[in-house]
């Protein structure tokens, strides 16, 4: 008896960006009432540990925009971001932080799933004219502390969550730029000034 043929596309290894796209799709489905919060949490967790496209497809094949036979549109998104692979800060059911004098990369991915990520930039130097932080918060939070003189560009989407900058004033022209690209589902991404230190 011959073995049942398998679709080679289902066995292709997935990237972090593909996982994030599925999590965004699941978040939209939860916001529309197609998934309960428990279902969303279970599927989002499974998406973050998925290894193949087949595993991801099974998480969305009962949703209107999910199809087990339709490949995820990731190649265009991946090719749009050039340069070396970003460093990653991941908090899943826990806390992660970067603070003090640490080497800030040109690109950083901060991902919080039922956790908290804290990124402190006030005690370090930004060696790149533009620093990009991809901030994903799913039932969690990402908080970025930014010193004066840094221009912050906050973009992205928030589904049953928030993305906001609590900075005041305008950064001088020609200074460093921090791009924060947020994806929020039942969580928050917040840019705020450093905490005041006691004299």
């Amino acid at each position: 008896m011959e073995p049942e043929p398998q679709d080679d596309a289902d066995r292709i290894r997935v990237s972090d960006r593909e996982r994030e796209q599925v999590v965004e799709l699941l978040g939209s489905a939860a916001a529309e009432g197609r998934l309960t919060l428990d279902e969303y949490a279970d599927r989002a967790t499974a998406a973050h540990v998925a290894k193949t496209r087949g595993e991801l497809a099974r998480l969305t094949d009962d949703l209107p925009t999910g199809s087990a036979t339709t490949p995820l549109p990731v190649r265009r998104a991946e090719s749009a971001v050039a340069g070396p692979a970003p460093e990653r800060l991941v908090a899943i059911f826990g806390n992660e932080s970067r603070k003090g004098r640490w080497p800030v990369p040109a690109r950083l991915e901060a991902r919080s799933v039922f956790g908290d990520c804290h990124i402190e930039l006030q005690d370090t130097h930004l060696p790149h004219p533009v620093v990009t932080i991809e901030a994903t918060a799913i039932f969690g939070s990402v908080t970025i502390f930014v010193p004066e003189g840094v221009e912050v560009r906050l973009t992205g989407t928030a589904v049953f969550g928030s993305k906001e900058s609590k900075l005041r004033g305008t950064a001088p022209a020609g200074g460093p730029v921090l791009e924060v690209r947020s994806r929020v589902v039942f969580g928050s991404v917040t840019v705020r000034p450093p905490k005041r230190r006691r004299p």
Side-chain angles (χ1 to χ4, degrees), residues 103-107 125-132 175-177:
V104 180
R107 292 174 57 209
H125 170 67
L126 298 182
H128 309 281
V130 178
V131 172
T132 301
V177 174

Side-chain angles (χ1 to χ4, degrees), residues 20 37 55 80 125 135:
E20 290 169 5
L37 292 184
E55 293 176 39
H125 170 67

Side-chain angles (χ1 to χ4, degrees), residues 46-70:
H48 276 286
V49 299
K51 295 180 179 180
T52 67
R53 283 189 173 178
E55 293 176 39
L56 286 183
R58 285 190 287 274
L59 298 175
T60 60
D61 61 5
D62 61 344
L63 301 176
T65 53
S67 171
T69 60
T70 303

